Amino acid sequence: MKFTYYGHSCFAVEIKGKRILFDPFITYNELAKSVDVNSIVADYIFVSHGHDDHVADLVNLARRTKATVVGSYELVTWAGKQGIEKTHPMNTGGKWPFEFGTVKCVVAHHSSGMPDGSYGGNPLGFIFITEAGNFYYSGDTALTFDMELVPRFAQLDFAVLPIGDNFTMGIEDAIIASEFIECKRIIGVHYDTFGYIKIDKEKAQQAFAEAGLELLLPDINSSIEL
Ligand code: NI
Ligand code: MN
């Protein structure tokens, strides 16, 4: 599966010829200046929650690409009011068979207000179960025992977890999360973008390695094969 990192918690995967983008926040990310937001293509945009650092580029990208926006009922209702025509509402615990595979929504312990102050519904994590592989994107979340359910739903090939601390899990908690979800290959996101979430990348990778885990930190605007 091709995985492209656009900085912060924004990434894309390609499955069965469909391009799936997550949590678009590029234009206002000082670290993502190399990314041309106007050249990004997407068939689907999955949004974990309503905070600015996950939706800042959502409306423009969805309008231009005509991608289907998937997120909580409240979030996609908000997106609809911004003129986005193709949306798919979901909520915690629900799953749906999309054309590229099945997605199950799971608990994320966080908050979710939209940029205009309206309620964003529950923050979500997503488990993707596909012929090209299975992965979990936790969204912004604390470490939670709910993650122990993840292996019951899917054997993961990789997981995308926040590691920046302050707003979400930090490195220590993400290592425990990796044990809960029974996954040894982790892609770290939600770090370095702002002052509160700057990390020492080498130390982070060392801590994961000492726990028998692999922490991948792809360069912004680069792709890796998973
Ligand atoms: Ni957030
Ligand atoms: Mn965030």
Side-chain angles (χ1 to χ4, degrees), residues 151-205:
R152 297 201 183 201
F153 304 137
Q155 259 200 327
L156 301 176
D157 295 293
F158 67 94
V160 182
L161 303 179
I163 56 169
D165 224 322
N166 191 74
F167 298 111
T168 66
M169 294 190 287
I171 291 151
E172 303 91 338
D173 288 359
I175 288 171
I176 300 169
S178 308
E179 292 165 13
F180 287 177
I181 63 175
E182 296 177 12
C183 183
K184 289 188 182 299
R185 179 172 252 197
I186 306 300
I187 297 172
V189 296
H190 213 277
Y191 68 91
D192 276 3
T193 320
F194 343 102
Y196 291 121
I197 61 174
K198 295 230 188 289
I199 66 160
D200 182 328
K201 293 202 277 185
E202 254 176 54
K203 268 194 188 162
Q205 285 179 311

Side-chain angles (χ1 to χ4, degrees), residues 87 99 171:
T87 60
E99 56 191 327
I171 291 151

Side-chain angles (χ1 to χ4, degrees), residues 3-56:
F3 178 102
T4 304
Y5 185 49
Y6 292 119
H8 200 53
S9 290
C10 183
F11 61 96
V13 295
E14 286 169 37
I15 306 168
K16 266 194 169 174
K18 298 294 168 194
R19 197 147 197 283
I20 304 155
L21 183 71
F22 296 79
D23 286 358
F25 171 74
I26 296 158
T27 306
Y28 303 100
N29 183 353
E30 288 296 320
L31 303 181
K33 293 291 176 211
S34 64
V35 179
D36 175 14
V37 72
N38 295 312
S39 69
I40 292 176
V41 293
D43 299 294
Y44 292 87
I45 305 174
F46 278 74
V47 187
S48 63
H49 67 294
H51 291 159
D52 261 330
D53 60 319
H54 300 258
V55 304

Side-chain angles (χ1 to χ4, degrees), residues 67-123:
T68 301
V69 174
V70 188
S72 74
Y73 171 77
E74 290 83 354
L75 187 146
V76 304
T77 301
W78 173 87
K81 286 180 187 159
Q82 318 303 312
I84 297 170
E85 284 166 23
K86 285 157 69 184
T87 60
H88 182 119
M90 296 187 78
N91 214 331
T92 317
K95 66 177 184 303
W96 184 260
F98 291 89
E99 56 191 327
F100 54 81
T102 295
V103 179
K104 186 172 178 72
C105 297
V106 292
V107 168
H109 271 303
H110 194 63
S111 55
S112 182
M114 304 309 302
D116 62 6
S118 60
Y119 172 57
N122 289 336

